[in-house]
Amino acid sequence: MAAQALQQPSFLLANLKENSTTKPFLQRCQELVKVIDDYPAKELHLIFPWLVESVFGSLDGVITGWNLRFLQARSNEYNIVMEFLDPSGPMMKLVYKLQAEEYKYEIPVSFLPGPVKASIQEGVLPDCPLFHNKLQFPPSGLQTLSLALNPFEYYMFMFASSLITPKVNNAHLSHVSSSDTAYFVLVDTYLKYFLPTEGSVPPSPFPDNRGSVSPPAPRAPSVPFAGYGIHSTSLLKRHITHQPSVTADPAAQEIWRSEALLQVFVEIWLHHYSLEMYQKLQSPQVKEPFTPTEEHVLVVRLLVKHLHAFSCSLKPEQVSSSPSAHSHTSPLEEFKRVVVQRFVQQKLYVFLQHCFGHWPLDASFRAVLETWLSYIQPWRYTGEKTTSPTDPIQGVPDKWASFVQENLLMYTKLFQGFLNRVVRTDLVNVQNALMVFRVAKVFAQPNLSEMIQKGEQLFLEPEHVLHHRQHRVFLTPGHGGSFLSARQPMATDGVFRVKSHVYGLEGQDCQYKQMFGTELRGAILRLIQIIAQARQTAKRISDHSAEVAANNSFMSWFGLGFPDLNHTLNEREMDDTGECVKKTHEFLERSLDYLCQIFRLNTGQLSQLMATLGSGQDDGNSRQLPDCIQGDNGLILTDLGRMQFGGQMEALCSRPDFLGRLGRHYLASPEAAADGKQRRPETRRTAERNRRPRLSLRPLASYRVLLMLLLLYIFGALFSFGPISSTLLILTGGFLYGLFITLFGDKLRLKSH
């Protein structure tokens, strides 16, 4: 009987594998639902890793799974997949069923993010509590280590990894919009379910009597302060063989799934660059270890937006950071209070810094930009209406000053990174102009620039003012396992908070460059000049497009519209181009206004910059235009201007070879043959001027020539030649006639004499 029980799971797995290749998708899912409902956990345990890989794909990319990143709502399988993988659906029921029995599933360390893998292979316990008490030590050594995860952690790990794992057999799949794929919708669904903004996380349908979030090692009630920015790794550099087994905080039982899900998402999606690697990546010789995709960044933005909404849903009475205010709050409310700063800030900062420095200079950077702007505007996700018809732009509420201070580098350092990018892009491109406009509009929100300046002032406060605070406790995000395991008072001093933030991310020896300092102000003035120049270029393009459209419209009345030599635009494309140029001009115009508000540039300074730019452009244009004077109706060519390009014509006509003779035929004036018969000085000067090579269109004013051209067009029409074809034939005939005269003209003149 025991032998039969042992054989049955193997038979079940073999049967499911066979069905996966022979039966339709709907029928397979229906059978899986029945198996999950009918079989006990002991038998489902053996099929779980195979089933998860079948859905999300393998970590090495060989098994593609259900291709959730390419599955869209219009697909017949979409609704089946979403129902099966729903947080309350059959797959999660299987997870909870196994979770109640304490089963473990292994993940090789080689598939962990780079910094985590490097830390483990060096024998150092990683900061994130997700990896504590999970390491399995094989006899072969540290290089073949693996993590033993519980079913929920394993499921979420495989789900999160499928976003960044290159699939071997997916090259044939076309790119689809990320925001409406099954994967993107599932991320949003899981975040809303396990990190709810209202209510609490629904309990598991199966009892789970053990804590799933592994706690940290025991520590003293306080960690002595030894200096600003002491990174948490220095406090947790204990060897991986010393993994304590400690009973989890009972309060963490309520939200262990919420914490586990967030830790998995942050580690898999963001933790690809350690602070040390971030410092090395500033050097261009260092090869980047990981390159995120646009889809990856969009999912990170979704995470950021939801975490802000989750944090902003904290009840008003729990917002205070004092110990008495939250000593009796629920674990979920406590989690909301610290989730952004403690779990996300550091890794997201390094992630965005990498993207700002290495992302291509194209429109796809918009995904990175919007992720950054979402993070630095948590007030957008409070659920409150911040604008009204009468006051479209309200100031940032004062209560967000502490957030700005605790995230100062997110505003100042990344703004400088954006500035370095934008001066290297083509701002006449509407997408690039839009990105400048978006950033300028965000930073121009009333009160925000003042909050940033206040944060910089706090950071620059002299050190001697802080001696009396040296024994305060400073807690960093990596100090423990569950954040609930050490509820200690946070330092509330603004100076201490800002310095700890900056030194913790940039190091104690960092050279901070002020956003509102002299050096950056010069870069802003340069950007304003570039924007103004791009705006003028856009206006010229717009005017030229309108002129071309008007000319084509006029010529088409005669059937003589001339196509563009490079590419032909239909009327719709011409309209779209003109609309894009108009938008570019509008975006750049408003960006100038916002930048002047942010950096307090008055109209006099802006006018001076514009005048400098205008004079520089006038000088450049004057070097391109011939000599002219300003008249009532615009520029008028002078006598010098009319002959200013004559040197090249004279050089051509003075050549003794065939090209010289051809040039003299087309460019020499008929009067040049007349020798100095004129006797008055004025006539002699006129004759001298007429002898100079020039392109003359006077023959076209001859009635005889006009009549001849009319006859040629009529003759062409008789042979079904259109106006353009006839024009080309006439020009070709004229050119061939010139060649003939050049080659045989002298012989013909000799025979005539």
Side-chain angles (χ1 to χ4, degrees), residues 191 262 265-266 269-270 299-307:
L191 288 173
L262 180 59
F265 284 3
V266 169
W269 294 340
L270 297 179
V299 172
V300 170
R301 184 185 181 224
L302 179 64
L303 172 66
V304 168
K305 291 169 62 178
H306 183 79
L307 288 180

Side-chain angles (χ1 to χ4, degrees), residues 187-208:
V187 171
D188 187 49
T189 303
Y190 289 157
L191 288 173
K192 291 176 179 176
Y193 187 88
F194 294 107
L195 298 170
T197 56
E198 297 180 0
S200 59
V201 183
S204 168
F206 296 92
D208 180 13

Side-chain angles (χ1 to χ4, degrees), residues 18-93:
E18 181 182 357
N19 291 345
S20 67
T21 59
T22 58
K23 293 187 177 180
F25 184 76
L26 175 60
Q27 186 176 352
R28 281 160 29 210
C29 289
Q30 291 172 341
E31 291 184 358
L32 283 172
V33 172
K34 184 173 177 53
V35 167
I36 293 170
D37 288 337
D38 295 346
Y39 281 79
K42 183 174 67 173
E43 299 176 1
L44 296 173
H45 163 59
L46 293 180
I47 72 167
F48 184 62
W50 167 83
L51 180 56
V52 172
E53 279 196 346
S54 299
V55 175
F56 301 133
S58 58
L59 293 174
D60 58 8
V62 175
I63 301 174
T64 58
W66 289 357
N67 285 321
L68 302 180
R69 291 161 48 200
F70 300 91
L71 187 64
Q72 293 184 292
R74 61 176 175 267
S75 171
N76 295 329
E77 300 174 349
Y78 179 86
N79 290 331
I80 303 172
V81 168
M82 298 304 294
E83 183 178 348
F84 188 79
L85 300 179
D86 187 81
S88 302
M91 191 69 178
M92 199 58 68
K93 181 180 180 181

